[in-house]
Amino acid sequence: MRKNLRSMLENIFGSKEPKYKVINKFKMLNDSSSAFYNWNGKIYDSSIARTAIGTNGINAAKLHPKHIRILDNEIKVLPNQNIERILKAPNKYMTMFDFLQKIMIQREENNNAFAYIDRDKNVPGMNGVLGIYPLNSSSVEVYEDENKELYLKFRFRNGETVFASYKDVIHIRKHYNENDFWGASNSKVLQTTFDVINDTTQGIKYAIRNTAFIRGILKFKNVLQPGDVEKNVNDFSERYLNINNSKGIAYTDPRYEFQEMKTEPYVPNKAQMDYSKQELYEYFNTNEKIIKGNYTEEEWTAYFETTIEPFAIQMSQELTRKIFTQTEIGYGNEIILEANRLANASNSTKITICEKLGHLFTINEQREIWNRAPVPGRRQKVTVTKFCKRRQSGRISIKRKRGGSTMNEEEKKQETLKMLRNDRMYRMFHNLKVRSESIQDEEGNQIQEMIVEGQAVTFESPTTLFKCGSTEYKEVIDRNAFSEADMSDVIFNYNHGGKVVARTRNKTLELYIDANGLNIRARLDGTEEGRKLYEEIKGGYIDRMSFCFTIKEESYNQETHTWRVLKVDKLFDVSAVDIPAYDTTSITARSSRFTVAEQEQKALARAELQKDRSKKMLIQTY
């Protein structure tokens, strides 16, 4: 058995060498313990506790984890195949249902639940996740290495220990208050309750045992030797008091007389037993109706919001921050845990929702409400547009339009503008150049490099962003603005939302700064989309480009109405854009700068109005 456990440990953690050189116990802020120990109160050995905890575990396991990506107002579901695989079967030992059930049960039992993320160390982020394994250890300690990185030391019941980086550990806590790191133990709160339940159970057991025996006094009519007394008592007990005696016949003996003693064993009443059980159910945020499944719609909603939903939020946030890198999170990746709460609604509620709000759901989503399997080709949402047209007869006809038509240029512009984020800046540049270079690959074949290059930023050159009233608002980018900017992974795409055709990480996109400004050089022959984009730029169909960035520090001169960008925080992408009306004015009008300009113009208008009023009052005075 020990060999099997060791093998499973190696299957999960492998034989990877630790990265740390020096590791010490981590000191907590409030001198609370850096170690967590499972309480030996054996909560799960109690039938009442197991029923309550198990019910929460099963209901939590019904949650549906999904990987979504929200970027530029676009939501993609399950955009990564590796994470899609993990969310179906997190490891080779269990399904996602088993995984969530186990995590929830450990959270309820120990107020701490752990799961280890096994990664391919050579592949960062979501693509490197190999599996996620729940860990049920007897104790856990926090350590810190020389680089201030946290590690957890797990000790298992077979005596094995292993260190794991805290970055690779899903840690779900409950009753997180006293300790700086761990959820509080159940021992202080539940020990008395379990003592009462145990005493109650033992009292019932002893009461049943006592009722199976007859107790009394045997009075001898003659004086006997001690040995004879003992022998007669044993004979009487064997004949009449042994429950295994199945003859059912007895006879009288004139030598002694038996006088029975009535004992009434103490049996806890039902109210006491129900109180202890109810106390335990309430501690685990459940009740008998939920356990037996005879709840109402309102009762289920209350249970879900107090018990299942907090767990879903915890798991969603912890899976997101531990699976994805900060860059991936910045691009809108997250894990959410959904629940079909309407599946527990009454039939009348389901009918009302499908009738009144059916246009908000796809056909398969409506089938899920009725606990029916999805059908092929019904993932799309049916859009119903109602508009009224009054006929000569005075009647109103309602037309329904399914789907949509081809967008015109204005609609295309508005659709693209929706993709832009209000918290980022977008700037245009027109001085594009295209060229082709012939090079040889490693095998000696001639390859045509398709190059697009241009100057994205010109330092110290005022650029008019927009006009508000008669006032021009300008921007100047300081020549040191990009000295601390994050340009580690910049992409080249189409309209700030198309497929990536070049990027700095694989060196197909180069960014370099000279005395005049920031320059870009993109090689587009690596993908089919890139080659098409190159030909469109070369043919003059696309003659503008835009880059997206965020500002860390800037100043504003109210007299010249000019912003100076002092520090750029991060450069996100460079895009080829093709919409005629898509210029700096329409983009900048979305930003806070346009709000500043409007406020200034309103203040000027109020000042002019006040000045006119003063002149009129002065004329009237004379």
Side-chain angles (χ1 to χ4, degrees), residues 108 168 226 265 275 395 406 420 433 446 555 562:
E108 298 294 282
D168 296 331
Y275 176 79
R395 293 180 299 173
T406 303
L420 306 182
K433 297 178 182 179
Q446 293 291 325
S555 62
T562 302

Side-chain angles (χ1 to χ4, degrees), residues 416-428:
T416 304
L417 288 175
K418 289 179 182 178
M419 299 173 65
L420 306 182
R421 294 177 53 157
N422 291 328
D423 58 341
R424 296 180 183 177
M425 294 291 183
Y426 298 84
R427 295 293 178 268
M428 305 287 295

Side-chain angles (χ1 to χ4, degrees), residues 56-68:
N56 292 346
I58 290 174
N59 287 321
K62 297 176 184 177
L63 294 167
H64 305 292
K66 286 184 180 179
H67 171 206
I68 64 172

Side-chain angles (χ1 to χ4, degrees), residues 447-508:
I447 298 177
Q448 292 294 323
E449 280 190 338
M450 298 178 175
I451 308 297
V452 174
E453 55 190 2
Q455 189 173 75
V457 176
T458 302
F459 295 145
E460 306 297 339
S461 175
T463 301
T464 299
L465 297 178
F466 55 87
K467 288 183 68 175
C468 190
S470 59
T471 305
E472 289 188 345
Y473 287 84
K474 300 178 181 181
E475 179 183 72
V476 172
I477 297 183
D478 191 273
R479 65 177 61 257
N480 297 313
F482 289 89
S483 60
E484 300 175 6
D486 180 2
M487 298 188 291
S488 58
D489 188 19
V490 182
I491 62 175
F492 189 102
N493 58 10
Y494 168 67
N495 277 351
H496 293 290
K499 190 170 183 179
V500 177
V501 294
R503 73 189 310 159
T504 56
R505 199 164 64 187
N506 66 358
K507 299 181 180 179
T508 55

